[in-house]
Amino acid sequence: MSEKSVADESAKLKRNLWPASVMLALGFSSGLPYLLIYDTASVWLRQAGVSLADIGYFFLFTTFSYTLKFLWAPVIDRLNLPFLTRHLGHRRGWLLLIQGLLVIGLLGISLSHPERGIVGMVIIASLTGFIAATQDIVMDAWRIEAVEEKLQGLMASCYQWGYRISMILSGVLPLVLSKPLGWNMAYAVMAAFMAVGIAAVLLAPREKAHTIRPIHMEGLTAQPWREAAEWATRGILIVLAAILMGCGLTGNVDVLDFLLGLVGLSDQAQQALKVIWTAKATGVFLQIPAFLIGFGLLAACCLPLPWATRPGAYFKGAFVAPVADFFQRYENWAAFILALILVYRVSEFVLNIMNPFYVDLGFDVDTIAGMRKVWGVIMSMIGLGFASWIIAQFGLMRSLIIGALVGPLSHAGFMWLACAGHDVRVFAIAMAMDNISAGISGTVLIAYMSSLTSASFTASQYALFSSLYSILGKLVASQSGRIVEASARAADQGGIASLFTGLMTHLHADSYVTPAAKLGVTPAALGAGYFTFFAYTIVIGFVAIAMSFWLYFRRRTDTIV
């Protein structure tokens, strides 16, 4: 190879490593606030004597913004910032502002005293969660716009590497510092780590010039009072839609109960609604319709009125146009692609009962924490490295098939663990299989969703995709515990699950004994129930596998996709 070729390759490598290194640091700054207002904060609150129910409400309010971030992504796409946009660019300007606000938010949490009441802390943490979710909107848009499509796999891997490093740091360091310094000072120290994100923004390469599409209001006369009424009505309905969607996704009806109480619903009726909303037998028949009604109401709020108005023109340009652009570019494939995004990781999201599963196997809290927070994170980072290599080696569409395959098939490790019982070696193997495959499938999906966006609506479209991909899984996951228990009872009564009780002959003595007694089944039957559940997660994963194959083979003859 000539000296010129070597020099060109070296320069190309440096150009690629620069944004990748920045993405690593930005991923760190993305993960830091999330864990601090969620997992780590729960330890602080519990030590302060806060009830588990109140901790659950705290989590609901502080992380709600992450689910609905697509609602304000169009505003971020359209709004320039004075001075910052001109000197740093649209995305970097927003990121720098957000980094500063996150420092203020974390410092505000550090001044909280939950032992005196958590209302103030909930408000500050909720605002911090909103800012952190906004950071993700802008960060994803910068990642997509800063590099060419073939580097999106590398950028997604670097983002998740940084995210997981921050999860380890923010999950361990505050707990260590809280003993000698106290929780308030521990959170103040963690706020200082946001300097990593600030430095990354200042060092980041400027993304492509951002063009804001004009919203046409020609011929529409300003009518301040009518427009104010329309804006207020749309805003109230959007908030109501968000509450319905949130109550459906979380299975928690307290916010809706509170609002119904304000309009005259009796305390007895509120309590009855809460009982049937959260019951295993009836909850799903209220939660899923609530989400669908909320989503439909949200979509209706973003549509223009039958007669032309200035607010209607804005909503059409900001909210309808990004969706319309996607459907225009992908035509008959658009609905299929959205459906694939919805189902791609469903088999992973239904695994929301894993901690109870590990407890039922007889593992202590320290073992579970070590496996999940240390071993699991290390394995997921290995998976991220594999994902980057797979995308570079096989291309995005083939990688999409690989990700769809390894995700559900890795659950065979949990089926083995369900049969082995209290076996640390099998536990470690199952965790390795799951986390490596999750790193691969997650990175591939991020890269694929990134490739679907258009330059004019990057933030809006990616925020919508990243919100949609987890919604179906969260709705289906509400039935996970019910499937395990029903399968366990069936196993004792000669149902299909009884075919798997023979696999439980070598269970450790600590496995399933206490939870099986509470459920009124044998330990072998409960093991068969878990085995059946994991087999079910593999089966539902075949939907995404089939759709990925179909998309790949049709793509060879249909150049639109």
Side-chain angles (χ1 to χ4, degrees), residues 209-460:
H210 181 70
T211 303
I212 299 176
R213 291 193 179 185
I215 291 178
H216 299 287
M217 297 187 181
E218 295 85 354
L220 297 177
T221 305
Q223 298 177 310
W225 290 107
R226 289 186 180 182
E227 290 174 10
E230 184 179 342
W231 279 110
T233 302
R234 287 180 184 269
I236 292 171
L237 292 176
I238 287 174
V239 171
L240 177 59
I243 291 172
L244 286 171
M245 292 170 65
C247 290
L249 286 173
T250 62
N252 188 312
V253 76
D254 290 307
V255 177
L256 184 59
D257 246 354
F258 173 75
L259 293 178
L260 292 174
L262 293 179
V263 297
L265 190 68
S266 66
D267 292 341
Q268 185 178 3
Q270 290 180 53
Q271 185 60 36
L273 176 62
K274 185 173 183 178
V275 170
I276 62 174
W277 193 282
T278 56
K280 292 181 180 179
T282 57
V284 65
F285 299 107
L286 294 176
Q287 294 166 16
I288 293 179
F291 171 80
L292 295 175
I293 292 171
F295 190 81
L297 180 59
L298 175 65
C301 290
C302 295
L303 295 175
L305 297 174
W307 56 92
T309 65
R310 292 166 64 87
Y314 180 85
F315 272 88
K316 181 179 179 181
F319 293 92
V320 178
V323 178
D325 170 80
F326 174 74
F327 275 85
Q328 288 168 1
R329 285 187 294 115
Y330 291 96
E331 298 179 338
N332 296 332
W333 281 101
F336 183 90
I337 292 171
L338 289 178
L340 175 59
I341 291 173
L342 279 169
V343 304
Y344 193 79
R345 299 188 70 186
V346 165
S347 62
E348 178 184 343
F349 284 113
V350 297
L351 297 178
N352 65 327
I353 56 169
M354 299 311 294
N355 278 336
F357 171 56
Y358 304 141
V359 172
D360 288 355
L361 289 173
F363 293 109
D364 57 59
V365 174
D366 290 338
T367 301
I368 297 171
M371 283 291 183
R372 297 204 72 175
K373 293 184 177 292
V374 180
W375 176 250
V377 171
I378 292 172
M379 292 299 102
S380 68
M381 294 177 75
I382 291 174
L384 299 177
F386 274 128
S388 180
W389 178 82
I390 289 170
I391 294 172
Q393 188 75 18
F394 300 106
L396 189 53
M397 297 308 299
R398 288 191 180 125
S399 300
L400 197 67
I401 294 175
I402 294 172
L405 283 167
V406 300
L409 294 181
S410 69
H411 298 176
F414 291 130
M415 296 172 72
W416 181 18
L417 182 59
C419 299
H422 190 109
D423 189 318
V424 176
R425 292 172 299 177
V426 179
F427 190 6
I429 293 171
M431 288 294 293
M433 292 173 63
D434 179 59
N435 282 276
I436 290 174
S437 65
I440 293 172
S441 60
T443 303
V444 168
L445 182 59
I446 289 174
Y448 179 63
M449 292 190 300
S450 300
S451 72
L452 299 175
T453 63
S454 61
S456 299
F457 303 110
T458 308
S460 304

Side-chain angles (χ1 to χ4, degrees), residues 36-38 40-46 48 50 58 61-62 105-106 108-115 117-129 183-184 187:
L36 289 175
I37 63 175
Y38 164 43
T40 305
S42 66
V43 181
W44 182 5
L45 293 172
R46 194 58 175 163
V50 178
F58 180 88
F61 283 107
T62 56
L106 292 176
I109 295 175
S110 75
L111 298 175
S112 302
H113 296 278
E115 65 277 3
I118 67 168
V119 175
M121 188 174 179
V122 167
I123 294 172
I124 297 172
S126 298
L127 291 172
T128 305
W183 281 105
N184 301 89
Y187 264 68

Side-chain angles (χ1 to χ4, degrees), residues 448-526:
Y448 179 63
M449 292 190 300
S450 300
S451 72
L452 299 175
T453 63
S454 61
S456 299
F457 303 110
T458 308
S460 304
Q461 291 176 344
Y462 189 84
L464 178 62
F465 299 148
S466 61
S467 295
L468 283 178
Y469 90 94
S470 64
I471 284 176
L472 183 61
K474 290 179 179 178
L475 289 172
V476 176
S478 64
Q479 299 304 297
S480 296
R482 188 178 179 184
I483 292 172
V484 172
E485 293 178 353
S487 299
R489 293 190 183 97
D492 258 353
Q493 298 169 5
I496 295 178
S498 63
L499 297 173
F500 307 129
T501 55
L503 301 173
M504 308 296 153
T505 54
H506 300 292
L507 285 175
H508 190 278
D510 293 336
S511 303
Y512 305 124
V513 176
T514 301
K518 290 182 179 179
L519 188 60
V521 299
T522 62
L526 184 55

